[in-house]
Amino acid sequence: LSQITDTTFSEEDRSFMKRALELARNGRFTTSPNPRVGCVIARPSSNEKFKSQIIGEGYHLRKGEPHAERVALANCTEAPIGATMYVTLEPCCHHGATPPCTDAIIDADVDRVVVAIRDPFHEVKGKGIETLRENDIQVDVGLLEDECWFENRFFFHYHTNKKPWVILKAAISLDGKMASKTGHSKWITGDTARAHAHEIRAETDAILTGVGTIIADDPLLTSRMPGIEELKIKQSTRIVLDPQLEIKRDAQVIRTYNQAPIWIFCHDSAPDYAIQELTFFNASVTSVGGERQALDLHSVLESLAASGIQSILVEGGPKIHTAFLESGLANELLLYIAPKIVGGSEAPSFFLGEGVELIDQAMQLDRVERTLLDQDTLIRGILRR
Ligand SMILES: NC(=O)c1ccc[n+]([C@@H]2O[C@H](COP(=O)([O-])OP(=O)(O)OC[C@H]3O[C@@H](n4cnc5c(N)ncnc54)[C@H](OP(=O)(O)O)[C@@H]3O)[C@@H](O)[C@H]2O)c1
């Protein structure tokens, strides 16, 4: 991220960009594979009390629909000549599903564009900013860059590293257990925490679990967030890691193939008849290498990235979570902690692994947020590399 001095931007700039970021968040369930972008257009006010006032604002809703900049320009209550545009991502300069935003900005005759962060997408990557500058528009880059990166971390990670952003999500007890010693786990957390998890499901492109969880809990893995159908929010693709294709043919994820896609990853050694059977039941089956009982997660993520999956919510049991943590492929953690003590050395903990010898070797979270969800606490953060 670029170094910005405190004097580059005014307090007013900061408050308009904050508003643009708030607008960008409105697209969090619908924009993928496009980024979430918000835009505010402001100009000097005739009222002396305020230096500038907003004359137009907008956000991007979904691929194929107008970008935030064009929505904000169309919403302007007066001509934007000489105004400043605040946008959370570098404006595009190429013909994609919609025409270049730089054309619309140049035609609108704004004086200045404040951009939070450069677009890593290969067709843009600084060219949008260059185009505006070549047309004598002042462009200042880097305001709330970190916040705007965070809002679009799936998109940035995908375009920069060619891998999906991986969030590990688990409900645990105070003593870190994901289930009791008998494998019982319904329900560790309460209604509010579970409703929150349904929102996260609706935000991510895919939900992934292991065959262990499918056998133990027979989950649906769809989002039941209120309004999901009315808002035309796409259900995430459901992914099961099942090396030897042990999943029951009448598992809920198979029976509900028409509610959301179901993709199963198996090992190269899985029997052909099982692949054919599951394909017949409308699952898409992909075989990858690795150990017979533990698929190579790098190959799984590569294959998912090639299918355009930018974000994955992992809702596995302890084995899958441990595999993601040990392979260094997890980016973010979402732990819903219930004020309960389960006990039992046989009851599985969230992280099994070898464990570290010294506390300073422990995996560490950054950007930690804590949220109270009735009696439960959500702790989320980004895993430090
Ligand atoms: N509290 C919660 O949030 C929560 C959420 C989900 C599940 N659970 C609980 O977790 C328990 C199930 O846990 P689990 O660990 O058995 O299930 P899991 O983590 O969902 O699935 C584990 C299975 O995934 C397969 N697998 C494929 N690739 C793998 C890899 N690279 N590394 C590891 N495994 C891989 C293996 O199948 P093979 O055995 O065929 O090799 C493995 O046995 C249940 O009691 C369930 O209720 C709790």
Side-chain angles (χ1 to χ4, degrees), residues 26-300:
N26 289 330
R28 72 186 190 278
F29 299 116
T30 46
T31 61
S32 183
N34 280 359
R36 308 165 184 180
V37 188
C39 180
V40 161
I41 300 171
R43 59 176 304 145
S45 163
S46 45
N47 180 340
E48 279 178 16
K49 257 173 89 184
F50 304 101
K51 279 169 89 183
S52 292
Q53 63 181 14
I54 294 178
I55 57 166
E57 52 179 40
Y59 60 90
H60 180 51
L61 185 61
R62 54 170 58 87
K63 189 175 168 67
E65 295 190 21
H67 289 185
E69 299 89 318
R70 285 183 181 271
V71 178
L73 285 168
N75 285 343
C76 276
T77 50
E78 53 184 89
I81 302 166
T84 297
M85 172 182 276
Y86 298 84
V87 59
T88 59
L89 184 72
E90 175 179 5
C92 71
C93 52
H94 66 295
H95 281 271
T98 58
C101 286
T102 45
D103 287 0
I105 299 170
I106 294 162
D107 289 348
D109 229 352
V110 302
D111 267 6
R112 178 180 176 230
V113 177
V114 180
V115 173
I117 186 164
R118 284 170 206 272
D119 190 338
F121 186 60
H122 62 96
E123 299 244 46
V124 187
K125 248 188 170 170
K127 288 186 232 130
I129 291 168
E130 232 172 83
T131 308
L132 295 175
R133 285 185 177 147
E134 279 162 7
N135 282 274
D136 296 329
I137 296 174
Q138 179 186 335
V139 185
D140 296 321
V141 187
L143 178 57
L144 301 190
E145 187 175 25
D146 190 36
E147 290 84 340
C148 292
W149 170 83
F150 185 73
E151 191 56 43
N152 271 318
R153 59 199 179 284
F154 308 163
F155 174 84
F156 281 106
H157 183 74
Y158 178 79
H159 286 288
T160 313
N161 303 308
K162 312 288 172 240
K163 271 193 218 126
W165 179 268
V166 175
I167 305 174
L168 304 187
K169 174 240 146 180
I172 59 170
S173 60
L174 281 179
D175 49 340
K177 305 293 189 186
M178 286 188 81
S180 72
K181 61 183 177 189
T182 61
H184 187 243
S185 68
K186 280 185 179 166
W187 298 108
I188 293 176
T189 47
D191 292 346
T192 311
R194 297 213 309 281
H196 187 275
H198 278 284
E199 274 192 32
I200 308 289
R201 279 185 177 180
E203 265 194 70
T204 40
D205 289 341
I207 302 167
L208 180 150
T209 194
V211 66
T213 297
I214 298 288
I215 292 171
D217 302 339
D218 195 17
L220 250 178
L221 300 181
T222 54
S223 172
R224 269 88 80 198
M225 181 177 79
I228 189 155
E229 275 169 28
E230 295 82 332
L231 295 168
K232 295 196 201 122
I233 298 168
K234 217 169 70 193
Q235 285 287 354
S236 315
T237 297
R238 298 168 299 174
I239 297 161
V240 180
L241 304 189
D242 184 3
Q244 295 304 319
L245 298 176
E246 291 163 285
I247 189 169
K248 288 206 183 109
R249 298 348 182 207
D250 65 347
Q252 288 214 77
V253 284
I254 303 281
R255 280 193 281 124
T256 56
Y257 70 89
N258 54 358
Q259 285 182 29
I262 166 82
W263 297 355
I264 302 177
F265 282 86
C266 66
H267 188 257
D268 290 335
S269 61
D272 278 347
Y273 77 85
I275 298 180
Q276 281 160 19
E277 225 171 61
L278 287 161
T279 311
F280 176 77
F281 284 114
N282 300 292
S284 143
V285 184
T286 306
S287 57
V288 293
E291 289 168 32
R292 240 182 112 76
Q293 296 297 322
L295 305 178
D296 175 30
L297 296 181
H298 288 272
S299 309
V300 171

